[in-house]
Amino acid sequence: MIKVITYGSFDMLHEGHVRLLKRAKALGDHLTVGVTTDDFDRARGKINVRQSLMERIEAVRNLDLADEIIAEEYEGQKIDDIQRLDIDIFVIGSDWTGRFDYLREYCQVVYLPRTEGISSTDLRSNDAPISLGVTSGTALPVKALEQSRYVNGLSISGLCVPDAGAVKEKPEGVPFITDDYRELLDRSDAVYISSDPSRHYEEIKLALERGMNVLCRTPIAIRTRDFDELEELASSKGLVIVDAIKTAYCQAYTRLLLLLKSGIIGEVLSVDSTCTSLRDQDIEDADPGTWNSLCLWGIFAMLPVFQILGTDYVSKRIITRFVNRKTFHDGFTKIDFLYPGAVASVKSGQNVKSEGELVISGTRGYVYVPAPWWKTDYFEVRYEDQTKNRRFFYQLEGDGIRYEMLAFVNSVRSKRHTKAVDESVSRAIVKVLEDFYAGVDLTEI
Ligand code: CTP
């Protein structure tokens, strides 16, 4: 029996895939098809695959050409598969000519001519891109603009900044700059709000009223009343407000959450997270309502607390050292949360420097995420018996911003509003900020 194997993403299955699989099948008696997992695609830089692994496997299965379907999960797996499955022929399209010659040591390698004129990439780009208007506070959101280029199905429509006239050089790929938020909305399909937190409520509300989906830098609002109103408005209109908090979209971090759910360190008793960044920037003279340390860094530090321990804490204590009390600009803030059976502690600030690590302690072991944990590609699970320690590494491109944009595009396109940050978590963050501004549970040092 001649056994054949081939691999691919098979996203939005098309005629090119079908023809390749038919010809591959005809080369032998048994065909194995390896479908790339989302993780593996991401690791090799293909971040825009539209369908899930299950959907893609299902589509291949429905063709009734494959005798066996496997998932391709890691670099180097092909050699393993070929040996394990006793493969005689490895087949791939001619776009890969030469790339898999190293497999000749293990089996015959055949490059089949690729079908002209069709590809998953073309199919994906057939949808008109979502034109995203971007609002920003003081600085140009250079990173976000740059990262948006990696996101298929997205184009930047324009930029809204307070002093548009003063911007000397228009950033590359930005068609227009304005200081009129309504103009930005007029010329966009959706909006990315990166302005000061005090403006979020107003800006989100206007966008939703016009039927636009919103990607907003966390926090969504600084009052729970406003948050609730916005969520209600969004849901009544079938729209989404997606938290732009890059960590929530980093693969290492999302994997970490799943592992904790599976009980890898037993019951979680404590979460300790620290996010600081020493800035020379003068926050003493900052305007009220602009980003303070708690909004800028505290939100990251709180994220794992609420995502791991939930939002039903019994009590909290916010300890703050203000740089400017009147404008609520804090240099350092520490928050302790008490849960039934667990505790958490977060430290954040711009006038303090500390180790930006995340430690999650459990009854069987602990997770250690080294600094800067909020843009991590790596973490360790550690036990009393060190020989059992495990290390996890996931490729991270561009510190996570492109992934949050991609999640937004997919969410808008599929109308499946799956959020990486649960509404309850998003609201819990807003609640802490609200209490901070109202002086509730707050101790000044
Ligand atoms: N293939 C083909 N003809 C096409 C497209 C793909 O023969 N027009 C082959 C590829 O060479 C590969 C297999 O189908 O052997 C799976 O390819 P995949 O990368 O999943 O499809 P593409 O359409 O090339 O995807 P993308 O545009 O995302 O790269």
Side-chain angles (χ1 to χ4, degrees), residues 25-300:
K25 172 97 175 173
L27 287 175
D29 311 300
H30 182 279
L31 176 66
T32 302
V33 179
V35 182
T36 49
T37 59
D38 304 338
D39 286 358
F40 184 54
D41 271 329
R42 273 186 172 204
R44 60 194 189 123
K46 210 170 178 176
I47 66 164
N48 48 9
V49 170
R50 193 64 67 75
Q51 292 180 299
S52 70
L53 174 64
M54 287 323 286
E55 287 170 324
R56 291 180 286 123
I57 287 181
E58 222 24 61
V60 171
R61 194 193 311 284
N62 288 340
L63 292 177
D64 228 4
L65 289 168
D67 297 287
E68 190 174 348
I69 300 178
I70 57 170
E72 185 184 22
E73 299 183 76
Y74 58 93
E75 192 79 47
Q77 184 184 322
K78 291 187 179 75
I79 297 175
D80 259 6
D81 291 340
I82 289 166
Q83 292 183 324
R84 185 173 50 89
L85 301 169
D86 209 10
I87 298 294
D88 302 290
I89 307 174
F90 168 87
V91 179
I92 195 97
S94 53
D95 43 326
W96 295 98
T97 300
R99 287 280 292 279
F100 293 103
D101 286 357
Y102 70 92
L103 295 174
R104 290 195 199 281
E105 205 181 317
Y106 309 94
C107 67
Q108 197 185 330
V109 174
V110 175
Y111 298 102
L112 290 175
R114 188 179 158 92
T115 305
E116 292 304 317
I118 186 155
S119 74
S120 304
T121 307
D122 290 346
L123 289 176
R124 284 189 293 259
S125 59
N126 274 350
D127 296 327
I130 295 173
S131 71
L132 189 72
V134 180
T135 66
S136 183
T138 41
L140 287 177
V142 180
K143 253 195 202 160
L145 294 173
E146 184 200 292
Q147 288 296 307
S148 68
R149 288 191 210 121
Y150 295 92
V151 184
N152 230 303
L154 189 85
S155 71
I156 298 296
S157 63
L159 186 59
C160 177
V161 285
D163 199 0
V167 179
K168 296 215 172 55
E169 221 176 293
K170 215 164 41 159
E172 204 193 315
V174 176
F176 72 94
I177 302 189
T178 178
D179 45 21
D180 179 355
Y181 181 59
R182 284 181 171 77
E183 184 194 350
L184 182 82
L185 295 185
D186 285 342
R187 297 169 73 174
S188 313
D189 304 326
V191 69
Y192 175 71
I193 296 176
S194 170
S195 55
D196 291 323
S198 56
R199 301 171 59 97
H200 289 182
Y201 165 72
E202 205 75 17
E203 291 187 348
I204 295 176
K205 194 171 167 187
L206 272 173
L208 293 174
E209 282 168 352
R210 291 180 180 218
M212 294 163 79
N213 289 293
V214 175
L215 176 64
C216 177
R217 255 177 86 181
T218 305
I220 301 289
I222 48 176
R223 274 187 298 260
T224 47
R225 192 186 58 209
D226 295 348
F227 178 89
D228 294 341
E229 184 194 327
L230 293 173
E231 286 295 341
E232 240 181 82
L233 182 59
S235 110
S236 72
K237 290 185 163 265
L239 299 167
V240 271
I241 311 168
V242 174
D243 270 275
I245 178 164
K246 59 191 177 196
T247 308
Y249 303 87
C250 289
Q251 213 180 357
Y253 177 77
T254 54
R255 286 303 133 124
L256 165 63
L257 295 184
L258 291 177
L259 281 172
L260 291 173
K261 280 222 169 79
S262 76
I264 196 162
I265 56 165
E267 193 188 339
V268 175
L269 297 186
S270 164
V271 178
D272 297 274
S273 71
T274 301
C275 300
T276 65
S277 135
L278 209 52
R279 292 274 156 95
D280 337 319
Q281 164 198 338
D282 202 357
I283 51 177
E284 264 172 64
D285 294 332
D287 291 330
T290 54
W291 292 94
N292 57 13
S293 300
L294 192 59
C295 286
L296 203 59
W297 288 111
I299 54 136
F300 285 105

